[in-house]
Amino acid sequence: MHRSRLLALTALLCLACFGSPALAQPSPLARAAASTNPPPAEEPSVTEPPPGSPRAALQKYLELGHKGRFAEASTLLEVPKAREAERPLLAKRLLAVLDRYVWIDLEKVSDVDDGALNDGLPAKLEQIATIPVEGKTSEPVRMIRHGAGWRFSPSTVDKVDEWYEALPDRWLLDNLPAPLLRVGPRSLLWWQWLGLGLAALVGAIWGALLGAVARKWLGRAAAKTPTEWDDRIVARSRGPLALAFALGTLRALLPLLLLYEPAEVFVHRALRGLFLANLLWAVWRFVDVVAELSWDSAWSHDHAGSRALIPLARRAGKALVAVAALVLLLSALGYPVTSLIAGLGIGGLAVALASQKTVENLFGAFSLGIDQPFREGDFVRIEDLTGTVERLGLRSTRIRTPDRTLVSIPNGKLAEMRLETFAVRDRMRLACNLGLVYGTSAAQLKAVLAGVEETLRKHPKLWPDGVSVRLVELASSSLNIEVSCWFDTPSFDEFTVIRQDMLLAFLQVVEDAGTALAFPTQTVQLQQLPR
């Protein structure tokens, strides 16, 4: 059950990560990089710039480069004639440098034919980005107008080999197959996706081992304390501890993947969400521990009326944890939670009007929990329905009938119905009528009365007060004796055995008195009329 909850939570978190607004709109570079996987039709694209602007040239270069069409992309580089044969290689290396160091926002690149005129550079010269260089602050990446279009400047092309040689993942770029170097979802190269999966597997294995060691050590420490709550927390910490160590291991391995900036933002945000989910999972289990300790405490046994509130409080606590988890996860994944909460205030009236029954049932649940007309496990009669209370929920109460069907009654209605519980009976009543035949003599009748009462008083479970064995009626076909008494047992199963023994003993008393039980009879007398 807990494993399925974790899997469901992880799946929802991943879905939220891939659909979160903060992550769903990649930078223009990321959108261009994803050209091998065309975006959905509904995703907004970058505004098409004028064809003679720096932005148009840069956008075309990025699109061609990420499709692997470096021969075409190289036409946008101002390459010396001596290196004309190296055009595709230079285009490929420049793209690797830009992907590693630059997160380009195409919207900030000039869409004017002559470039930006207020950047302190001459006309027809545009600075796109800067590249960090060891021992220097940075070096510029520039484009220059060439004829009717724009190209990367000669000074930039001259620096490409130097920048490329300094890349930390140069060996991978030179040796991995081309398909693994293409950009996949979320600006991660396909080899980085494979590496992320391998790192997650290593983290899971290492997390399970470290979690087991930590639980063993914590278990020994908890065993030395006189309290019980720490032992129960350790017993329930297996999953959260293992996941915490797994996420920590995965976080430590991330630098080996050499993620690009947008990919790094996505992965770190996803990890933060998972860490938060794990913390809330631990809190969820802590609610269970608190509820169990409260149920087993001496206080709950001394206050039986308040004890039944514990399961209800447990469910309410988990509901609060779930709401807090939703809000915090949305916040961690970039959703505007403040606006969401403000919207809840605006729509509060509409929600209140639409959920009157839900609120009524919720208050009905707390009313039943405080008033305590019954508890979970009690056998009850609710108007014309009888059965065992199986669950007192926040919305409805479920009754298991003797036919093994399950009946759900909204708590709002249940709080107004006539409720009868059999579980609180301290003793059970035996009530029956013995009808003797009219041929019974007065002596026999007295013998039956005395014998029945004597039989009852001999039973060890008889409640001594309120025993009544009386002749109550001279009926049409029988002499009726009413028998009424209580037996000191709260168990219905035990009472049925006692009742059976008493009824058999009553038959023996009647038989010993020389009379018999009556059954409905009628005597018809026929009189012959004179002729």
Side-chain angles (χ1 to χ4, degrees):
M1 178 63 73
H2 297 302
R3 188 171 299 173
S4 63
R5 288 177 183 171
L6 176 60
L7 291 175
L9 181 61
T10 304
L12 288 174
L13 179 63
C14 291
L15 180 62
C17 287
F18 279 89
S20 83
L23 297 174
Q25 300 297 331
S27 68
L29 174 60
R31 287 194 289 267
S35 57
T36 54
N37 297 289
E42 68 272 15
E43 181 176 330
S45 60
V46 178
T47 304
E48 193 67 28
S53 65
R55 183 189 300 177
L58 179 59
Q59 181 175 327
K60 182 179 179 181
Y61 171 77
L62 293 174
E63 290 176 353
L64 292 172
H66 287 109
K67 290 178 181 179
R69 297 159 60 180
F70 295 109
E72 298 175 58
S74 66
T75 60
L76 298 170
L77 274 66
E78 192 71 34
V79 180
K81 291 184 178 180
R83 305 191 65 182
E84 192 69 27
E86 301 178 39
R87 273 183 174 275
L89 179 62
L90 290 171
K92 180 180 179 180
R93 290 186 171 184
L94 177 59
L95 182 64
V97 171
L98 293 177
D99 283 346
R100 170 56 55 190
Y101 295 118
V102 182
W103 193 357
I104 297 178
D105 185 353
L106 286 176
E107 297 293 340
K108 295 183 179 179
V109 179
S110 175
D111 59 354
V112 181
D113 288 355
D114 289 336
L117 301 179
N118 57 352
D119 57 0
L121 296 175
K124 301 183 180 181
L125 183 65
E126 189 76 13
Q127 181 163 314
I128 305 301
T130 57
I131 304 298
V133 178
E134 186 177 357
K136 301 180 181 180
T137 303
S138 61
E139 292 181 342
V141 177
R142 292 175 176 173
M143 300 187 78
I144 189 171
R145 186 171 178 84
H146 181 85
W150 287 77
R151 295 182 180 180
F152 286 96
S153 67
S155 61
T156 296
V157 174
D158 288 343
K159 289 288 185 180
V160 167
D161 289 333
E162 179 183 340
W163 292 339
Y164 183 79
E165 292 295 327
L167 290 177
D169 56 345
R170 181 175 60 83
W171 183 90
L172 295 172
L173 297 173
D174 290 338
N175 294 278
L176 284 179
L180 293 181
L181 295 176
R182 292 179 183 173
V183 178
R186 296 299 178 184
S187 300
L188 273 80
L189 304 182
W190 284 111
W191 78 264
Q192 292 172 332
W193 274 112
L194 294 176
L196 190 62
L198 180 61
L201 178 61
V202 172
I205 297 173
W206 192 241
L209 293 175
L210 290 179
V213 173
R215 283 183 66 245
K216 187 175 181 180
W217 182 82
L218 291 173
R220 290 178 179 176
K224 296 178 181 179
T225 63
T227 57
E228 185 183 358
W229 63 267
D230 49 357
D231 300 272
R232 297 203 182 194
I233 289 178
V234 172
R236 286 183 170 269
S237 65
R238 178 179 179 180
L241 273 178
L243 182 56
F245 283 115
L247 293 175
T249 303
L250 180 58
R251 177 65 181 84
L253 294 176
L254 279 185
L256 300 178
L257 298 179
L258 302 171
L259 299 177
Y260 297 147
E261 184 177 354
E264 189 174 12
V265 170
F266 162 71
V267 174
H268 284 179
R269 184 167 289 171
L271 281 178
R272 284 198 300 271
L274 285 171
F275 271 114
L276 180 59
N278 189 48
L279 176 62
L280 293 169
W281 185 24
V283 174
W284 181 281
R285 291 199 163 186
F286 181 72
V287 171
D288 286 332
V289 172
V290 172
E292 291 173 0
L293 290 173
S294 300
W295 183 266
D296 296 335
S297 66
W299 175 87
S300 69
H301 289 285
D302 294 339
H303 301 78
S306 302
R307 194 183 191 198
L309 285 173
I310 295 175
L312 188 61
R314 180 181 191 171
R315 297 185 191 107
K318 286 190 172 184
L320 290 176
V321 172
V323 171
L326 178 62
V327 173
L328 293 176
L329 283 176
L330 290 176
S331 177
L333 296 173
Y335 285 90
V337 177
T338 304
S339 302
L340 178 62
I341 296 176
L344 290 177
I346 297 174
L349 179 60
V351 172
L353 293 174
S355 60
Q356 290 182 15
K357 291 297 182 182
T358 301
V359 175
E360 177 185 349
N361 293 329
L362 181 62
F363 278 97
F366 282 99
S367 175
L368 293 171
I370 295 173
D371 191 45
Q372 293 295 301
F374 54 76
R375 304 170 190 168
E376 291 184 357
D378 287 358
F379 189 79
V380 298
R381 179 186 290 123
I382 301 174
E383 295 186 349
D384 59 346
L385 173 70
T386 58
T388 303
V389 180
E390 190 161 285
R391 186 174 185 270
L392 175 60
L394 294 177
R395 179 196 171 275
S396 63
T397 297
R398 297 179 183 177
I399 309 294
R400 180 75 68 177
T401 67
D403 295 328
R404 304 305 298 160
T405 60
L406 197 62
V407 179
S408 295
I409 305 176
N411 291 327
K413 292 184 177 180
L414 188 61
E416 300 175 356
M417 299 172 72
R418 179 176 176 272
L419 308 177
E420 182 180 358
T421 177
F422 298 91
V424 296
R425 293 186 296 186
D426 54 351
R427 54 185 182 270
M428 295 192 182
R429 180 170 177 257
L430 172 64
C432 66
N433 286 321
L434 299 177
L436 303 181
V437 296
Y438 259 101
T440 304
S441 65
Q444 290 174 326
L445 184 57
K446 291 180 180 179
V448 171
L449 292 172
V452 169
E453 183 169 355
E454 181 183 3
T455 300
L456 290 173
R457 295 193 178 277
K458 286 182 178 179
H459 198 281
K461 287 283 188 175
L462 179 73
W463 186 262
D465 298 332
V467 178
S468 175
V469 182
R470 299 289 185 269
L471 176 65
V472 294
E473 184 181 9
L474 303 178
S476 60
S477 60
S478 63
L479 305 174
N480 290 339
I481 298 176
E482 183 183 70
V483 179
S484 177
C485 64
W486 284 267
F487 288 92
D488 188 11
T489 175
S491 172
F492 183 74
D493 292 337
E494 183 180 10
F495 172 73
T496 58
V497 175
I498 296 174
R499 182 175 58 188
Q500 173 182 277
D501 293 341
M502 291 297 98
L503 293 177
L504 291 173
F506 295 164
L507 292 176
Q508 186 64 47
V509 169
V510 172
E511 184 180 342
D512 292 343
T515 184
L517 296 178
F519 53 88
T521 59
Q522 288 184 342
T523 301
V524 180
Q525 294 183 352
L526 299 177
Q527 183 177 3
Q528 187 175 5
L529 297 176
R531 295 180 181 180

